Amino acid sequence: MKKTLAKINTRVGFFVLLVFLFWAKTIYAYFIDFHLTTSDFLQQILLFVNPIATTVILFGLAFYLKPAKLFYPAIIFLDFLNTVLLYLNVIYFREFTDFMTVSTMTGYSKVDQGLSGASLALTAPHDIFYWLDIIIIILLIIFRVIKIDKHQLSTKFAFAIFSIGSLLLVTNITLADMDRPQLLTRTFDRNYVVKYLGLDVFTTYNGFQTHKSNELRSNANKSEIYKVKDFTDKHYAAPNKDMYGSLKGKNVIIIHLESFQQFLINKKINGKEVTPFLNSIYNSNHTYAFDNFFHQVGQGKTSDAENMLETSTYGLPQGSLFAQLGSDNTFQGAPAIFDQQGYVTAVFHGNVDSFWNRNNTYKNLGYQYFFAASYYDTSGDKASGYGLKDKLLFKDSTKYLQHLQQPFYAKYITVTNHFPYDLDDKDQKDDPLTPPDTDDDAVNNYFLTAHYLDQSIKEFYKYLDKTGLSKNSVVVLYGDHYGLSNSENPSLAPLLGVKSNDWNDFDNAQLQRVPFMINSQSFTHGHVDHTYGGEIDVLPTLMHLMGISSKKYIQFGTDLFSKQHDQVVAFRNQDWVSPKYTCIGGTIYDSKTGKVIKPNAKLKKKIDAMQQQVNTELSLSDTLNSQNLLRFYHPKGFKAVNPADYNYSNELKREEKIENKLGDKSTSVFDTDGHKDTQKTYKTDAPEANEPRSDTNKIQITNPDSNNQ
């Protein structure tokens, strides 16, 4: 004991003690209050060591102070400040299941809202452990159990401590990047940044991002919005008169087909259709399907697709718009537009609500309801690492869907068809598909999970038919982005009738097609349309079908049914495709033959003009979002979204309360069908559907490690 006290009575010993104590309570917070989980050994290691580097750097600042008597109050004060940051995040996390951003800390309105959790209602008995160490240390110093070391250490020693901390931090960041590439550039989930790098690094990095964003926004010139509006006005495509308003008043159901590429449609493997039900929709006269529809995502992957689909603006050149700007940006997207047309808006997703910052971004988009993983039973084998399995997502969502007032705008985000395309053997017993036998397991398994997704949608459609929803709804099905990457395409090539050695960049570009189908019983002359388009075009197309003019809004896409529709489809990296020409990395290809074209002067001028349009469009969209220019633009009749109006807790109780208030005027399926629970009409062959809840075996849903998400 005396030896231990002797070491603590030195400055270095006291420093080590405080670093250890702060590390211990940070790890305590990680598991007890933040509920951080790991999926591999390296993640576990990083979770345990990431508080050390920044604590060493921060507490080490006290060694620089002179005279010597300032060291102890300074290091205790630094410990206190870091504990305040940790504890405020604990309180904030309990209310919002998220970490505090710098904007939340510095913005009064957000602090007032965010720190309302600092009330007694959100404290817990174990919170004493966050402060007990500081109290005890101070008391031990007061009663001279810990003695003050008056020996002044050199500046070189202080610098050595800083260097050790910096080396630890660089090592931490390097290992984190090895396990989760582009962790900071994509910043798809704050939980992941904290899990890999720690709360201090997250706060510092978020502060840097906030500063850059605020600098851009503070320097934003209101006149910039007019440049953007001038472009979109000139780019606007008037609606097709025959299609405009043809689906007015109908429920809108968006089905997000995770990682689903167009080549899967009508594809047979070993003599069997991979997606027989989706094929039947695709080829139905009740469906307008587009076979030259491309995803246009960047690093934001799924979140980029959602953003384009619902705002008709592009994702960012780096990172995810949802993750980086979604908490503060002004949107004028589909949820708010449809809400103001009398629709109820909701999202159903079996992953954690914080992934891609959806829990914040959806509020700014104006979504009234968000049913994330916490609303579902994900115990046992019901979920994979990416969320609730698709068959169970559709089945278990009926509990909430049946209480939504009609008309509604509802989005389902599926996850089972996700890299690395793992599927339990028991999920393949009914109507099994024999996979191909390529040299790449991801390619082989991709067809199995796509087949499972197809079965899931078939079951959901049967439910829509039984409840009568199919008569009064339009279902929009779309693929969000590629499932198989360019590196896997050569293994895929033989299945598509192409020799692996002949595969090139043009083939990679053409393979970025994803399905886009608009299915409604109101359509009787549906067909496969060969028009070129992309995710940026969905919102104006859907709005016009619903009889809502898109002209007053700032949208970069154009109506796919319009004769004025722009068929030059921009990719996020400034490449592009069109019916005649494809430009990949500056090389021009004939879109029909795939042969390289060396344009003459006249054609070069035309190609340059198309390239300039793509560059301008992407640049203006980036300016619009990065500078939050929509705050300066107020379309007539559109009410700006107030995110404080939305709170995604107790969603079912809120639905039922509205039903009871409306009484006989309620339009929910539950009420219009004689108060029958439609969950009982839903039939699924999912083997997990009848498994009892088993929280002890609950799968921890983590945010996907794959860059394919």
Side-chain angles (χ1 to χ4, degrees):
M1 182 67 177
K2 290 183 178 180
K3 289 183 179 180
T4 302
L5 279 175
K7 291 179 180 179
I8 293 174
N9 286 334
T10 66
R11 289 193 181 196
V12 175
F14 189 72
F15 167 79
V16 171
L17 174 65
L18 262 59
V19 168
F20 171 77
L21 290 173
F22 188 81
W23 168 84
K25 61 188 175 186
T26 302
I27 298 300
Y28 183 79
Y30 282 178
F31 288 99
I32 301 302
D33 287 301
F34 298 148
H35 309 293
L36 298 182
T37 59
T38 58
S39 59
D40 59 48
F41 181 69
L42 183 55
Q43 279 187 20
Q44 292 174 13
I45 295 296
L46 291 174
L47 183 70
F48 275 93
V49 303
N50 72 48
I52 298 174
T54 51
T55 306
V56 167
I57 292 172
L58 181 64
F59 289 10
L61 295 176
F63 285 111
Y64 285 97
L65 295 178
K66 296 178 181 180
K69 62 182 180 180
L70 293 178
F71 172 80
Y72 286 90
I75 195 170
I76 291 172
F77 181 66
L78 290 170
D79 190 0
F80 172 78
L81 287 181
N82 223 18
T83 301
V84 168
L85 175 65
L86 176 65
Y87 188 63
L88 288 180
N89 272 278
V90 166
I91 294 295
Y92 190 82
F93 199 92
R94 285 173 187 164
E95 185 168 358
F96 296 99
T97 322
D98 199 5
F99 296 100
M100 292 183 69
T101 64
V102 171
S103 296
T104 305
M105 298 178 201
T106 57
Y108 171 78
S109 62
K110 288 192 175 182
V111 170
D112 183 58
Q113 177 192 7
L115 298 187
S116 62
S119 62
L120 287 175
L122 285 175
T123 57
H126 69 260
D127 289 357
I128 186 64
F129 292 112
Y130 292 113
W131 303 101
L132 195 59
D133 64 316
I134 296 177
I135 296 171
I136 292 174
I137 288 293
I138 292 174
L139 289 174
L140 289 176
I141 291 175
I142 290 173
F143 289 103
R144 297 186 179 181
V145 176
I146 294 178
K147 296 180 173 57
I148 302 298
D149 178 9
K150 297 181 180 180
H151 177 64
Q152 180 73 55
L153 296 173
S154 67
T155 303
K156 287 184 178 180
F157 181 83
F159 182 73
I161 294 293
F162 177 81
S163 299
I164 291 170
S166 299
L167 180 61
L168 290 172
L169 182 59
V170 170
T171 304
N172 190 164
I173 293 173
T174 302
L175 291 173
D177 192 66
M178 287 170 57
D179 196 57
R180 172 64 264 181
Q182 300 176 319
L183 175 66
L184 291 177
T185 55
R186 294 179 78 204
T187 53
F188 53 87
D189 192 334
R190 291 166 184 164
N191 284 7
Y192 249 44
V193 178
V194 173
K195 179 162 53 178
Y196 275 104
L197 302 177
L199 190 59
D200 287 338
V201 172
F202 163 73
T203 304
T204 303
Y205 184 70
N206 179 258
F208 174 71
Q209 285 185 311
T210 302
H211 173 71
K212 284 203 310 180
S213 178
N214 289 343
E215 196 171 38
L216 271 174
R217 295 177 184 210
S218 63
N219 294 328
N221 190 328
K222 191 174 181 180
S223 63
E224 291 291 323
I225 194 66
Y226 300 117
K227 294 180 184 178
V228 179
K229 186 67 169 66
D230 182 59
F231 176 87
T232 57
D233 283 347
K234 291 177 180 177
H235 196 230
Y236 169 76
N240 182 319
K241 292 181 180 179
D242 294 333
M243 302 297 291
Y244 188 81
S246 58
L247 299 176
K248 188 173 184 179
K250 291 193 177 296
N251 300 315
V252 178
I253 300 173
I254 308 285
I255 299 182
H256 170 110
L257 306 173
E258 171 63 39
S259 305
F260 199 98
Q261 291 173 252
Q262 175 66 22
F263 70 79
L264 289 167
I265 298 295
N266 293 330
K267 181 67 180 172
K268 288 185 177 182
I269 293 293
N270 294 318
K272 185 170 184 176
E273 288 180 294
V274 178
T275 58
F277 185 72
L278 284 173
N279 295 347
S280 69
I281 297 175
Y282 182 81
N283 297 304
S284 168
N285 60 0
H286 295 306
T287 302
Y288 285 93
F290 294 82
D291 60 356
N292 288 310
F293 184 86
F294 293 79
H295 81 78
Q296 299 168 281
V297 307
Q299 290 179 338
K301 296 297 170 65
T302 295
S303 66
D304 279 0
E306 287 188 78
N307 174 69
M308 282 184 282
L309 189 84
E310 299 192 304
T311 72
S312 195
T313 68
Y314 291 93
L316 301 177
Q318 286 186 321
S320 162
L321 187 148
F322 268 33
Q324 293 174 214
L325 304 176
S327 298
D328 303 302
N329 252 30
T330 300
F331 297 103
Q332 293 168 6
I337 292 170
F338 277 86
D339 177 4
Q340 294 173 34
Q341 294 290 325
Y343 279 68
V344 171
T345 57
V347 183
F348 302 94
H349 183 37
N351 200 345
V352 292
D353 60 357
S354 63
F355 190 45
W356 289 127
N357 194 32
R358 287 186 176 106
N359 54 334
N360 294 308
T361 307
Y362 282 167
K363 292 175 183 177
N364 281 321
L365 279 167
Y367 267 115
Q368 297 168 22
Y369 297 92
F370 180 23
F371 299 95
S374 60
Y375 283 92
Y376 301 99
D377 175 10
T378 59
S379 64
D381 294 329
K382 295 180 178 71
S384 66
Y386 311 112
L388 191 67
K389 292 178 180 178
D390 296 341
K391 289 184 180 181
L392 300 176
L393 171 70
F394 286 116
K395 177 185 181 296
D396 294 349
S397 293
T398 59
K399 178 179 181 180
Y400 311 112
L401 179 68
Q402 66 181 349
H403 294 293
L404 289 180
Q405 296 298 305
Q406 299 183 74
F408 54 73
Y409 176 96
K411 178 170 65 176
Y412 287 81
I413 303 177
T414 63
V415 299
T416 309
N417 189 49
H418 189 291
F419 184 87
Y421 312 112
D422 289 332
L423 197 62
D424 293 340
D425 290 339
K426 63 182 178 181
D427 289 316
Q428 304 174 55
K429 287 183 179 179
D430 295 308
D431 189 27
L433 177 76
T434 303
D437 185 22
T438 72
D439 59 357
D440 192 320
D441 288 339
V443 173
N444 300 335
N445 294 335
Y446 181 60
F447 293 93
L448 296 179
T449 51
H451 188 63
Y452 175 89
L453 174 56
D454 181 75
Q455 294 172 330
S456 307
I457 295 169
K458 181 179 180 179
E459 292 177 351
F460 181 58
Y461 258 77
K462 286 182 178 179
Y463 168 80
L464 296 179
D465 289 338
K466 288 179 181 178
T467 56
L469 280 171
S470 57
K471 296 178 182 178
N472 194 39
S473 301
V474 53
V475 182
V476 177
L477 304 103
Y478 84 106
D480 63 338
H481 55 73
Y482 63 85
L484 299 174
S485 64
N486 289 350
S487 62
E488 291 158 334
N489 286 343
S491 296
L492 172 69
L495 299 176
L496 304 181
V498 182
K499 293 180 180 179
S500 298
N501 294 336
D502 294 336
W503 197 268
N504 59 22
D505 290 342
F506 173 82
D507 298 306
N508 285 332
Q510 299 306 307
L511 212 57
Q512 304 316 305
R513 286 178 174 84
V514 292
F516 180 60
M517 298 174 251
I518 307 172
N519 173 246
S520 172
Q521 290 187 10
S522 296
F523 293 145
T524 56
H525 296 91
H527 58 269
V528 177
D529 194 312
H530 305 306
T531 300
Y532 274 60
E535 289 161 337
I536 203 77
D537 300 313
V538 173
L539 181 56
T541 303
L542 186 58
M543 285 176 65
H544 288 172
L545 288 171
M546 308 305 292
I548 307 170
S549 174
S550 67
K551 191 169 186 179
K552 65 182 179 183
Y553 295 98
I554 290 178
Q555 297 175 356
F556 290 92
T558 57
D559 186 344
L560 289 163
F561 293 108
S562 173
K563 294 179 181 178
Q564 300 166 4
H565 168 66
D566 180 8
Q567 295 196 68
V568 178
V569 183
F571 294 144
R572 183 57 262 192
N573 62 359
Q574 297 185 340
D575 289 342
W576 49 270
V577 295
S578 74
K580 287 187 177 181
Y581 309 109
T582 294
C583 179
I584 306 298
T587 301
I588 310 302
Y589 299 87
D590 184 305
S591 292
K592 287 184 170 51
T593 66
K595 293 181 179 179
V596 174
I597 297 174
K598 293 184 179 179
N600 55 31
K602 184 178 179 180
L603 180 56
K604 186 177 185 305
K605 186 176 180 181
K606 184 177 181 179
I607 295 294
D608 288 346
M610 296 167 81
Q611 184 67 64
Q612 183 58 45
Q613 177 185 306
V614 167
N615 295 350
T616 301
E617 190 169 324
L618 291 168
S619 176
L620 288 174
S621 178
D622 292 343
T623 300
L624 178 81
N625 285 316
S626 62
Q627 297 186 25
N628 196 21
L629 294 180
L630 282 180
R631 62 193 154 131
F632 300 130
Y633 182 64
H634 310 287
K636 187 177 180 180
F638 179 82
K639 183 182 178 182
V641 174
N642 180 6
D645 291 341
Y646 308 104
N647 185 345
Y648 301 136
S649 61
N650 298 318
E651 299 283 62
L652 182 57
K653 288 184 179 179
R654 189 154 57 95
E655 286 184 285
E656 291 174 335
K657 186 178 180 180
I658 292 172
E659 278 182 325
N660 293 333
K661 185 178 180 180
L662 290 171
D664 293 339
K665 295 181 180 179
S666 173
T667 60
S668 70
V669 173
F670 181 78
D671 280 342
T672 57
D673 198 25
H675 303 286
K676 294 178 182 177
D677 187 351
T678 64
Q679 294 180 84
K680 298 177 182 178
T681 69
Y682 200 103
K683 302 299 180 184
T684 178
D685 63 11
E688 305 90 355
N690 298 317
E691 289 179 359
R693 187 182 185 99
S694 175
D695 289 326
T696 56
N697 295 322
K698 188 172 182 178
I699 289 179
Q700 296 293 340
I701 299 176
T702 59
N703 298 320
D705 288 341
S706 165
N707 285 334
N708 285 339
Q709 167 67 16

